[in-house]
Structure formats: structure tokens, C-alpha cells
Amino acid sequence: MKVLPFKIPKTQNIGLIYQEDKERYFYDKFHQHEEIQLCIIVKGEGTLVVGDTINKYSSGDVLVIGSNLPHVFKSDTSVIKESFMISLFFTKDSFGKNFFLLDDFKELIPFFEKSTCGFRLLENRDTVMNLLLELQKSTNLDRFIGLLKVLKILVNSKTTELANFIYPKKYTDNEGKRMRNVMDFTMNNFDKNIDLYEIAEKANMTPNAFCRYFKQRTNKTYFTFLNELRIENACKLLISENTLAISEIAYQCGFNNLSNFNRKFKEIKGISPSKYRKDSGFN
């Protein structure tokens, strides 16, 4: 199976693919697929990278990841030992090339527009969660009907984008493997010192070529991305490990000194680490 891009396994003549992921970890390789992924996080939490943007996910989230939108779920098993996600996979053409172009489905146009960058549902999450949980023992027809019910809720509910920038071209297999190697190494080693030569070597490129390559595909420098990943992990520790000193959290997330950590944290989050912790309910 090709990691990026790869095909979602499907039974012949099935337009809507229902999938349950119930493992310790979700699939943790940077990847993309033609199908739109509509999913609920029944259990689990961790980091979700979509396109150029680093997000957190947790139990109760309802997420939509657009067609060919690169993404990776990085489960945090230190908090929850088992991860459980239910997903529906489909394309705009899954039920016929002109199916969603019929006037009957005009009100669903915003869903497909918003799915391009991916989005997180901000309201009516319990309703959508219950609808998808009901599909566990449903027939294919009932799952199709359930999909339409969920889509109607999604277009009439508040959402927030998951990605800010989408690389306009589909990744080739070689490009996909290269970006996968970069993302996998970064996700697994963000807490260590990573220099430009080391990460460029993972992409099998010169440092200058790698800098151009990464910026073109994410609209940000590699070290901007790395710092954003480190800060997101720091946010998680500031909330979950309230006995840890801020200086220790900075060190655990890959920062060599506290002043640099404080500066980067405020630059990315708009507030200081101490205020972030206090606003989260810890003094």
C-alpha cells in the first residue's frame, strides 16, 4: 500500500465506505486519499496535522478532511490507551458523476466547498456523533441515508477550518514518500534538536533545495512548522501536567532555553505560557 497517496480499500460497487479504527494508535503516516473523510473521534486524543496546520483532536470531535488533503493523526496514548474513530469515505462522484449536481442537493454545495481545507464541527456534535454511532450495525442503505442526514446538519452548523493553505497540486508517489519521511521524522523527534542538514537529509535534498521545497508545499518554513508543533505539545502539557514547571515543559518540547520558549509561545498563541495555563483552570 502506498502511504501518500494511497487508496481506501473498498468492496466493489460500494459508493460509501464505512470504517472503524479501534486500535492503540490511529494510522500515523502522513497521507492523502481521493475520498472525503467524515469522521468522529469516539475515543482518543492527540495531534492532527492537516495540510500546513497543526491541530489537536480529542474524544467527541467531528472532523471532515477533504479530497487529497494531506493529513496525519498522531495519537497520544499517555492519556487514553485505546483510540476509536468511525469514518465515512466518499467522493463527490461516488454515487454517480452528476449525483450531487442535481438541484435536489443544492444546499449541500457549501459542504463540498468547506471540505477543501477540512473543517471541525463546533456545534451539534452530539447529534452527529449519535447518528454515526447508529451506523455500526446498519445496512448499506441506512448508512447512505445517515450520510445525507449528517451532511444536512454540517451545512447548517458552525465550523472552523483545519488547514490554512493547500498545495494546489496532487503529490506524486515520490513527493509523497519524501514529505512522509519529513513529517514522520518531525512528529517523532520534535522534542530533540533538529538542524537543517539533518532534516534535509531525510528528504534526500540539499538544505537550500529542501527549504524551497517545504515552503512551496506548506506556505511556511520548516522551522516555523516545527515550532508550531512544539508549542501545540507544550499546550497539552500545560493543561494535563499542572505540576510540571514551565521551564521543564519547554525542555520536553524541544526548546533549549525558557526565554526562547516564552517568545515563541506568545508569538504563536498570543499569550504567555503562564497565562495559558491559568486560563485553562490551573494557578
Side-chain angles (χ1 to χ4, degrees), residues 8-18 35 89 93-96 140-141 144:
I8 301 297
K10 63 177 289 186
T11 304
Q12 192 174 11
N13 292 327
I14 295 294
L16 177 64
I17 304 165
Y18 172 88
E35 293 83 2
F89 295 93
D93 299 332
S94 285
F95 314 109
N140 290 334
L141 177 59
F144 174 73

Side-chain angles (χ1 to χ4, degrees), residues 145-244:
I145 293 170
L147 170 66
L148 294 181
K149 288 180 179 179
V150 170
L151 292 183
K152 184 173 182 179
I153 294 170
L154 294 179
V155 296
N156 292 297
S157 302
K158 292 180 181 177
T159 61
T160 184
E161 282 188 349
L162 290 176
N164 297 317
F165 172 81
I166 305 300
Y167 181 57
K169 298 179 182 178
K170 183 177 178 179
Y171 283 100
T172 64
D173 287 353
N174 287 336
E175 278 189 304
K177 290 174 183 176
R178 174 177 287 158
M179 188 60 83
R180 176 204 64 192
N181 290 340
V182 169
M183 290 296 185
D184 285 355
F185 181 81
T186 305
M187 298 287 282
N188 292 322
N189 296 278
F190 69 87
D191 56 337
K192 304 177 181 67
N193 182 49
I194 301 176
D195 63 36
L196 180 57
Y197 290 92
E198 183 178 23
I199 194 61
E201 185 180 355
K202 298 299 176 183
N204 198 26
M205 303 175 79
T206 66
N208 287 339
F210 171 75
C211 288
R212 292 193 298 270
Y213 174 85
F214 194 89
K215 180 70 179 289
Q216 184 183 34
R217 284 153 183 78
T218 64
N219 202 38
K220 62 180 65 172
T221 69
Y222 173 76
F223 288 103
T224 295
F225 175 83
L226 176 60
N227 282 326
E228 288 175 354
L229 180 61
R230 287 169 168 169
I231 294 301
E232 283 300 330
N233 279 273
C235 288
K236 180 177 63 180
L237 291 176
L238 286 167
I239 296 173
S240 63
E241 304 291 342
N242 59 310
T243 59
L244 274 181

Side-chain angles (χ1 to χ4, degrees), residues 2-259:
K2 295 171 182 174
V3 176
L4 194 169
F6 77 92
K7 293 184 180 296
I8 301 297
K10 63 177 289 186
T11 304
Q12 192 174 11
N13 292 327
I14 295 294
L16 177 64
I17 304 165
Y18 172 88
Q19 180 172 301
E20 292 185 13
D21 292 289
K22 203 169 188 179
E23 307 285 346
R24 189 176 183 198
Y25 299 97
F26 290 142
Y27 182 67
D28 61 353
K29 303 297 182 184
F30 196 61
H31 66 287
Q32 66 184 27
H33 37 71
E34 181 185 5
E35 293 83 2
I36 296 169
Q37 181 177 359
L38 193 171
C39 61
I40 57 172
I41 308 298
V42 183
K43 186 187 295 184
E45 71 177 63
T47 302
L48 169 62
V49 178
V50 182
D52 68 320
T53 308
I54 299 163
N55 307 269
K56 291 180 288 187
Y57 73 86
S58 58
S59 302
D61 272 341
V62 178
L63 307 165
V64 172
I65 298 171
S67 175
N68 291 313
L69 183 53
H71 60 284
V72 59
F73 288 88
K74 194 70 175 178
S75 304
D76 182 0
T77 55
S78 67
V79 180
I80 299 177
K81 298 302 180 185
E82 183 182 62
S83 298
F84 182 22
M85 172 167 57
I86 293 176
S87 299
L88 296 177
F89 295 93
F90 61 99
T91 70
K92 202 171 182 180
D93 299 332
S94 285
F95 314 109
K97 193 164 185 178
N98 297 315
F99 184 80
F100 283 115
L101 297 179
L102 294 171
D103 288 346
D104 309 65
F105 302 109
K106 275 185 177 179
E107 65 180 281
L108 297 183
I109 291 174
F111 168 81
F112 292 102
E113 292 175 343
K114 290 194 296 183
S115 72
T116 304
C117 291
F119 63 87
R120 184 196 309 270
L121 189 63
L122 297 180
E123 57 184 7
N124 301 315
R125 296 193 310 171
D126 289 344
T127 303
V128 173
M129 182 75 67
N130 290 333
L131 281 170
L132 264 67
L133 287 171
E134 289 175 3
L135 302 184
Q136 288 180 282
K137 297 181 180 180
S138 296
T139 64
N140 290 334
L141 177 59
D142 285 334
R143 286 173 177 169
F144 174 73
I145 293 170
L147 170 66
L148 294 181
K149 288 180 179 179
V150 170
L151 292 183
K152 184 173 182 179
I153 294 170
L154 294 179
V155 296
N156 292 297
S157 302
K158 292 180 181 177
T159 61
T160 184
E161 282 188 349
L162 290 176
N164 297 317
F165 172 81
I166 305 300
Y167 181 57
K169 298 179 182 178
K170 183 177 178 179
Y171 283 100
T172 64
D173 287 353
N174 287 336
E175 278 189 304
K177 290 174 183 176
R178 174 177 287 158
M179 188 60 83
R180 176 204 64 192
N181 290 340
V182 169
M183 290 296 185
D184 285 355
F185 181 81
T186 305
M187 298 287 282
N188 292 322
N189 296 278
F190 69 87
D191 56 337
K192 304 177 181 67
N193 182 49
I194 301 176
D195 63 36
L196 180 57
Y197 290 92
E198 183 178 23
I199 194 61
E201 185 180 355
K202 298 299 176 183
N204 198 26
M205 303 175 79
T206 66
N208 287 339
F210 171 75
C211 288
R212 292 193 298 270
Y213 174 85
F214 194 89
K215 180 70 179 289
Q216 184 183 34
R217 284 153 183 78
T218 64
N219 202 38
K220 62 180 65 172
T221 69
Y222 173 76
F223 288 103
T224 295
F225 175 83
L226 176 60
N227 282 326
E228 288 175 354
L229 180 61
R230 287 169 168 169
I231 294 301
E232 283 300 330
N233 279 273
C235 288
K236 180 177 63 180
L237 291 176
L238 286 167
I239 296 173
S240 63
E241 304 291 342
N242 59 310
T243 59
L244 274 181
I246 290 177
S247 57
E248 178 61 22
I249 290 173
Y251 176 75
Q252 287 190 21
C253 291
F255 290 92
N256 293 325
N257 64 76
L258 184 59
S259 61

Side-chain angles (χ1 to χ4, degrees), residues 238-282:
L238 286 167
I239 296 173
S240 63
E241 304 291 342
N242 59 310
T243 59
L244 274 181
I246 290 177
S247 57
E248 178 61 22
I249 290 173
Y251 176 75
Q252 287 190 21
C253 291
F255 290 92
N256 293 325
N257 64 76
L258 184 59
S259 61
N260 184 38
F261 170 69
N262 287 331
R263 183 172 63 254
K264 290 297 181 183
F265 194 100
K266 191 166 186 178
E267 181 182 306
I268 292 170
K269 292 297 179 180
I271 58 176
S272 67
S274 57
K275 188 173 191 318
Y276 183 90
R277 171 175 271 178
K278 185 176 181 181
D279 290 349
S280 300
F282 297 112

